[in-house]
Amino acid sequence: MTIASEPPKAGFRLSQLIYDTRYRSLTIQVIVFMLFMAGAAWLVDNTVRNLQVLGKDFNFGFLSNRAGYDIGQMLIPYTNDSTHGRALLVGLTNTLWISFLGCVAATVIGVFVGVLRLSRNWLIARLMTVYVEIFRNVPLLLWILVILAIFTETMPAPNAYKVAPDTGVAGQEMLFGMIAPTNRYTAIPAVEFANSLGAIATPLAPLSLNFLLIVAVLIGSVLVNRRLLARARRIQEATGVRPVTWWQSLLVLVVPTAAVLVALGFHLSVPELRGFNFAGGTNVSNSFVVLWLALSLYTGAFIAEIVRAGIMAISRGQTEAAFALGLRPRRTMSLVILPQALRVIVPPLISQFLNLTKNSSLAIAVGYMDLRGTLGGITLNQTGRELEAILLMMLIYLAISLTISGVMNVYNARVKLKER
């Protein structure tokens, strides 16, 4: 009787790394990785050798040296006796602040213009089209210079707001009675508290206890309001009738915060002209205002097209169904169309936020001291550490961009279409 045995297994051969499809892709990846690492090693070695020839080394010790230069606009304490590292932090906070405000303003402008471009009113739609085409087809740097020229040449001097003794009338009226644009700065009201809780000293900047208390109350109010809405949703699912909650949400969101503001003695310090300049309030440099306006208007034109495309991607039947239920056009847009269009709008919107953040480096054109003006400008020129400064600046911009992408991707995952 013959017993069948299993055929012997073939041994592994080196030729399989190339000819066997099970190993070929892995082989190619390993080879490419080795070539990449070899190229990176050559680049690093070549850089080190060139630095040695120039009598330089590679270190970041210059960040602890005295900066010796002033910065006009800053969010954290700084003097010319501070270190270059502190100047870097000032530039970084300025970059983050202008980027945040620019993204908020550009989003508001983009949504507003994008919706109006689809208006049935011919004049409004054409005006919005003119805005979009003009701003997105002219380089951002030119818009920065144009807006700077407008502020410099057309805005009045601070003493133009002086009240004439004989008539008692100011030569130039303040906007809303509290904002004074000038050819040097814009005077705006400042937030003050009569019963301030003080501040906590931190290595970066003093942290206001008033601000922490207000933020804590706002977060608590939002959480309570979410519980109210969740309860109303459960009742609606159980009974088919949704209870009225708008007045409860209004009380929860407004009353606690208003009570805290009253207890802290919240008030606005309105700027007043004293001599040739404004005192009280806050004087915001025109370089900041110009950059903010240019970034917002320029990026808003691109966001408007994204919003328009997102709205047009929604089926016409959605609008007709909403109208059939008795919803008015404005409610249809806010409750039906825009929520569905978000899944189309958000991905390209992320790219526009990243572009705005990187375009903020053009602040050097108007003298606004951001990261490019401090670390990549004066610090680089004073210390002669070109390689270290540029690499550090690139890594910081990379970290900011990845953070924005991560946050927006989380939001995109929440609003995308979910199938059951």
Side-chain angles (χ1 to χ4, degrees), residues 115 311 314 318-319 321-323 325-342:
V115 172
I311 293 174
I314 305 303
Q318 297 288 325
T319 303
F323 288 166
L325 293 174
L327 291 178
R328 295 184 177 183
R330 187 175 301 175
R331 300 286 289 175
T332 299
M333 179 61 67
S334 61
L335 297 179
V336 179
I337 305 302
L338 280 180
Q340 296 184 74
L342 280 178

Side-chain angles (χ1 to χ4, degrees), residues 193 196-202 205-220 257 260-261 264:
F193 298 94
S196 178
L197 299 178
I200 302 175
T202 64
L207 191 58
S208 172
L209 292 176
N210 304 321
F211 174 76
L212 292 179
L213 177 60
I214 294 172
V215 170
V217 171
L218 284 174
I219 293 175
T257 304
V260 170
L261 293 176
L264 293 175

Side-chain angles (χ1 to χ4, degrees), residues 184-327:
R184 288 192 291 163
Y185 53 80
T186 299
I188 62 174
V191 174
E192 294 185 356
F193 298 94
N195 306 316
S196 178
L197 299 178
I200 302 175
T202 64
L204 183 62
L207 191 58
S208 172
L209 292 176
N210 304 321
F211 174 76
L212 292 179
L213 177 60
I214 294 172
V215 170
V217 171
L218 284 174
I219 293 175
S221 299
V222 171
L223 293 177
V224 173
N225 184 59
R226 291 185 63 180
R227 292 178 65 89
L228 285 174
L229 296 178
R231 176 177 173 274
R233 194 178 303 111
R234 289 195 301 268
I235 294 176
Q236 182 183 13
E237 292 174 353
T239 64
V241 178
R242 185 178 181 87
V244 178
T245 58
W246 67 266
W247 63 272
Q248 296 175 342
S249 297
L250 186 64
L251 289 176
V252 168
L253 294 174
V254 175
V255 172
T257 304
V260 170
L261 293 176
V262 172
L264 293 175
F266 168 83
H267 65 279
L268 293 177
S269 175
V270 179
E272 297 179 358
L273 185 64
R274 296 176 185 173
F276 294 99
N277 286 293
F278 281 91
T282 302
N283 294 337
V284 181
S285 68
N286 277 350
S287 60
F288 175 85
V289 178
V290 166
L291 182 63
W292 174 64
L293 285 175
L295 289 173
S296 302
L297 293 172
Y298 180 79
T299 309
F302 289 90
I303 295 178
E305 285 297 275
I306 294 172
V307 171
R308 186 174 71 94
I311 293 174
M312 294 181 67
I314 305 303
S315 171
R316 178 75 178 174
Q318 297 288 325
T319 303
E320 295 173 351
F323 288 166
L325 293 174
L327 291 178

Side-chain angles (χ1 to χ4, degrees), residues 333-396:
M333 179 61 67
S334 61
L335 297 179
V336 179
I337 305 302
L338 280 180
Q340 296 184 74
L342 280 178
R343 67 177 185 268
V344 181
I345 293 173
V346 171
L349 185 64
I350 300 174
S351 297
Q352 293 305 319
F353 286 170
L354 296 179
N355 288 337
L356 188 148
T357 302
K358 291 178 288 188
N359 286 337
S360 67
S361 60
L362 293 173
I364 194 172
V366 290
Y368 180 69
M369 298 297 288
D370 67 335
L371 185 65
R372 169 67 179 86
T374 55
L375 177 62
I378 300 178
T379 294
L380 184 151
N381 292 327
Q382 284 188 356
T383 61
R385 295 287 179 175
E386 303 87 355
L387 182 61
E388 293 90 335
I390 295 300
L391 282 178
L392 189 57
M393 190 165 56
M394 291 172 61
L395 289 175
I396 292 174

